[in-house]
């Protein structure tokens, strides 16, 4: 704005200067010409008086003197021969003098730098006395004064430039000093602008307040999300991310293209192309679900939103479900195949009479095994589904004694001694589920024990927590299998487990029963040295 004011002021000053110079020169030259005509008039009057006494050729004058007859014939000329000159009747000054007594005219000479002034006076005898004078034209006069004019113009232009700069600064200084926070009316002409600034200020403040409120709401929502949230622009630049995204995703960069995970980059690229994408991202033992959706504005893709969720537990449950289905199918198929084979042989009369009883016992054995398997599966399903169960105070010592009494016949067959130690400990729980848990622990301790070994069950307290410990002198569990023995249908030695009639669900039932009661299961075992399993229940204040 300052530059524009300076240029406008300087241009205006230059225009005024040129116009003033032209006008002044014209007025001055016009005045100079009038003075010359007045001088010629005075001199003509003097010569008219002088001609009464002397001849024309005796007249002494700095101007050119010409006598012209009334018919236009030149009688005398102080510069040229009268006989060589043409008729002057048509001359403007001569014609005017013949009619009115005096006449004037001016003509440029052969160059525009000189101008001839003519003054004609009619004498009493009708003769015309004409005086002519040569003077510089306006152009010649200006050309002669070129240097003083140039110096003067240059000085005036410098003065105009300085005044323009000062004027521009004086005009713009109050404008530049206007504060957007509190605009004041420095000029009446700027009142609409200052009013608009105030309105804009109020509007911006309201919009900023609304934007801040929305940002706080947005931050509160995204930061409290368990899912990772990423907002990226068309160039893949990460605009916003929440805490969960920083936790779930690998240490990434501010641009999605620099992320180490190929699946994440592909999902983001597909979303920026306008297509929703869902992928699974594997990070070690953790599984993430990545959902990328395009952000549209007026039908155009302006960015993408990427959500990441930890679905490790879901995927593990799905994997366990598939494994469980496969294992159940396999475990059910084995006894059913045996039963079907025995029944088919017997129905076709291919079994000798002395073998019928043996085959019947095998069928019964497989049926018992099938029944135990179904019952274990139903127990697991019941504990997983929860539902309504009767919770009560259960004496663990009495319950363990009851379990050992029921297993006494099985233990006697293998000459395994059963021992119960400790004292009364009461916990709040589901009696049937606790019975199944302790029964499976003791049953496993007997099945996988040595002939003539022992099983010791101890009920006690540790740090205000009730515990049940089952210790055997059996074959033990190798260390690399200990982390998996609580999985469904997992067996360390499958041939030995089937030989003793195990279903592979005993310790899985123990795990689910303990989880139902918020109890902790600990396993200690060494091959050929036995196994110790301890179940620690919550503190007494939580149970009662």
């Amino acid at each position: 704005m300052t530059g524009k004011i300076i240029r406008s002021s300087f241009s205006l000053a230059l225009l005024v200067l040129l116009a003033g110079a032209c006008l002044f020169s014209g007025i001055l030259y016009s005045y100079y010409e009038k003075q010359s005509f007045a001088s010629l008039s005075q001199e003509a009057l003097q010569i008219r008086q002088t001609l009464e006494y002397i001849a024309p050729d005796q007249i002494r004058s700095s101007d050119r003197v010409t006598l012209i007859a009334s018919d236009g014939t030149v009688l005398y000329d102080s510069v040229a021969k009268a006989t060589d000159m043409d008729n002057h009747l048509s001359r403007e000054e001569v014609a005017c003098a013949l009619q009115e007594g005096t006449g004037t005219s001016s003509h440029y000479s052969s160059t525009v730098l000189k101008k001839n002034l003519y003054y004609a006076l009619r004498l009493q005898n009708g003769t015309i006395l004409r005086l002519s004078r040569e003077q510089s034209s306006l152009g010649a006069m200006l050309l002669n004064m070129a240097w003083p004019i140039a110096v003067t113009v240059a000085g005036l232009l410098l003065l105009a430039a300085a005044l323009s700069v000062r004027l521009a600064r004086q005009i713009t200084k109050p404008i530049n000093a206007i504060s957007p926070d509190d605009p004041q009316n420095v000029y009446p002409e700027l009142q609409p602008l200052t009013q608009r600034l105030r309105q804009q200020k109020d509007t911006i403040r309201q919009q900023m307040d609304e934007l801040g409120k929305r940002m706080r709401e947005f931050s509160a929502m995204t930061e409290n999300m368990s899912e990772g949230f990423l907002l990226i622009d068309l160039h893949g630049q990460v605009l916003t991310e929440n805490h969960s995204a920083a936790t779930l995703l690998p240490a990434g960069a501010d641009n999605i293209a620099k992320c180490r995970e190929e699946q994440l980059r592909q999902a983001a690229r597909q979303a920026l192309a306008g297509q929703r994408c869902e992928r699974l991202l594997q990070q070690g033992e953790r599984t993430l679900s990545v959902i990328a959706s395009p952000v549209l504005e007026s039908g155009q893709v302006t960015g993408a939103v990427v959500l990441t969720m930890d679905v490790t537990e879901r995927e593990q449950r799905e994997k366990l479900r598939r494994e469980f289905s496969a294992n159940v199918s396999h475990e059910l198929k084995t006894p059913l195949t045996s039963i079907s084979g025995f029944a088919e042989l017997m129905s076709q009369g291919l079994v000798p009479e002395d073998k019928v009883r043996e085959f019947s016992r095998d069928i019964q054995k497989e049926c018992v095994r099938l029944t135990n398997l179904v019952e274990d599966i139903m127990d697991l399903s019941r504990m997983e589904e929860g539902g309504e169960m009767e919770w009560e105070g259960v004496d663990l010592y009495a319950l363990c004694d009851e379990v050992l009494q029921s297993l006494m016949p099985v233990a006697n067959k293998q000459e395994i001694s059963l021992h119960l130690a400790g004292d009364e400990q009461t916990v709040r729980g589901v009696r049937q589920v606790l019975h199944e848990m302790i029964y499976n622990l003791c049953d496993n301790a007997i099945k996988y024990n040595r002939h003539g070994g022992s099983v010791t069950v101890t009920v006690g307290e540790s740090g205000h927590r009730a515990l049940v410990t089952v210790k055997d002198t059996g074959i033990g569990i190798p260390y690399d299998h200990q982390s998996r023995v609580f999985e469904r249908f997992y067996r360390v030695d499958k041939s030995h487990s089937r030989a003793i009639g195990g279903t592979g669900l005993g310790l899985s039932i123990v795990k689910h029963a303990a989880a139902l009661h918020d109890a902790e299961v600990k396993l200690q075992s060494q091959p050929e040295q036995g196994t110790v399993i301890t179940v620690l229940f919550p503190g007494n204040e939580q149970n009662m």
Side-chain angles (χ1 to χ4, degrees), residues 20-134:
C22 293
L23 181 61
F24 178 76
S25 299
I27 294 174
L28 182 63
Y29 187 78
S30 176
Y31 174 78
Y32 174 65
E33 191 174 81
K34 288 181 179 179
Q35 289 297 109
S36 295
F37 278 119
S39 175
L40 290 174
S41 175
Q42 292 294 329
E43 188 174 358
L45 292 176
Q46 293 177 1
I47 292 174
R48 183 180 65 176
Q49 295 174 358
T50 303
L51 286 175
E52 295 178 357
Y53 305 103
I54 63 176
D57 55 354
Q58 295 179 350
I59 296 174
R60 299 288 181 266
S61 175
S62 59
D63 298 318
R64 182 178 181 178
V65 180
T66 305
L67 289 176
I68 304 168
S70 59
D71 59 356
T73 302
V74 177
L75 301 177
Y76 169 78
D77 188 86
S78 61
V79 175
K81 291 183 179 182
T83 56
D84 295 337
M85 299 178 68
D86 56 357
N87 191 282
H88 281 39
L89 185 63
S90 60
R91 297 292 181 93
E92 178 184 357
E93 68 278 4
V94 174
C96 186
L98 288 173
Q99 293 180 3
E100 299 179 5
T102 61
T104 60
S105 68
S106 61
H107 303 284
Y108 286 102
S109 63
S110 58
T111 65
V112 295
L113 298 179
K114 296 294 182 178
K115 191 175 183 181
N116 294 321
L117 302 181
Y118 298 97
Y119 180 83
L121 176 65
R122 187 181 61 192
L123 303 179
Q124 291 181 354
N125 59 4
T127 303
I128 302 300
L129 172 64
R130 188 185 72 174
L131 298 180
S132 65
R133 181 182 297 175
E134 186 180 63

Side-chain angles (χ1 to χ4, degrees), residues 276-297:
R276 187 180 184 276
C277 176
E278 185 171 354
R279 296 175 182 268
L280 289 179
L281 178 62
Q282 197 68 37
Q283 291 184 348
E285 298 181 355
R286 187 169 62 175
T287 304
L288 301 179
S289 174
V290 179
I291 303 175
S293 301
V295 177
L296 302 178
E297 183 176 354

Side-chain angles (χ1 to χ4, degrees), residues 250-426:
D254 55 358
N255 195 297
I256 204 71
K258 301 178 182 178
C259 181
R260 298 196 304 266
E261 299 295 345
E262 177 63 23
Q263 297 289 343
L264 185 61
R265 294 200 303 269
Q266 290 179 0
R269 284 197 294 265
Q270 189 169 341
L272 291 175
Q275 298 179 352
R276 187 180 184 276
C277 176
E278 185 171 354
R279 296 175 182 268
L280 289 179
L281 178 62
Q282 197 68 37
Q283 291 184 348
E285 298 181 355
R286 187 169 62 175
T287 304
L288 301 179
S289 174
V290 179
I291 303 175
S293 301
V295 177
L296 302 178
E297 183 176 354
S298 301
Q300 299 293 324
V301 177
T302 57
V305 172
V306 180
L307 290 177
T308 56
M309 295 172 285
D310 191 342
V311 294
T312 305
E313 185 176 352
R314 185 191 74 185
E315 292 298 312
Q316 288 177 346
R317 286 200 304 267
E318 182 63 21
K319 180 181 178 182
L320 290 174
R321 185 191 65 78
R322 292 193 297 267
E323 291 179 353
F324 180 72
S325 300
N327 289 329
V328 167
S329 300
H330 177 73
E331 295 294 335
L332 290 176
K333 183 179 180 181
T334 301
L336 286 175
T337 301
S338 299
I339 293 172
S340 177
F342 291 145
E344 184 178 359
L345 290 173
M346 293 175 66
S347 65
Q348 294 178 359
L350 299 177
V351 180
E353 289 294 333
D354 56 339
K355 294 290 185 179
V356 171
R357 181 171 294 181
E358 181 182 347
F359 273 46
S360 298
R361 284 196 301 270
D362 290 338
I363 292 175
Q364 183 184 10
K365 180 182 177 181
E366 295 297 332
C367 287
V368 171
R369 179 182 172 189
L370 185 60
T371 301
N372 291 336
L373 179 61
V374 172
E375 287 179 351
D376 286 348
I377 293 173
M378 292 178 64
D379 290 340
L380 277 175
S381 298
R382 185 171 64 254
M383 282 185 284
E384 286 182 343
E385 293 176 0
E388 294 184 3
M389 296 184 179
E390 184 178 351
W391 289 73
E392 58 182 317
V394 180
D395 183 359
L396 295 177
Y397 188 87
L399 186 61
C400 291
D401 184 55
E402 179 184 333
V403 170
L404 292 178
Q405 292 298 328
S406 64
L407 291 172
M408 190 65 71
V410 179
N412 289 337
K413 287 182 181 181
Q414 299 184 29
E415 297 182 0
I416 295 174
S417 59
L418 303 178
H419 306 280
L420 177 61
D423 53 10
E424 177 183 343
Q425 292 291 332
T426 302

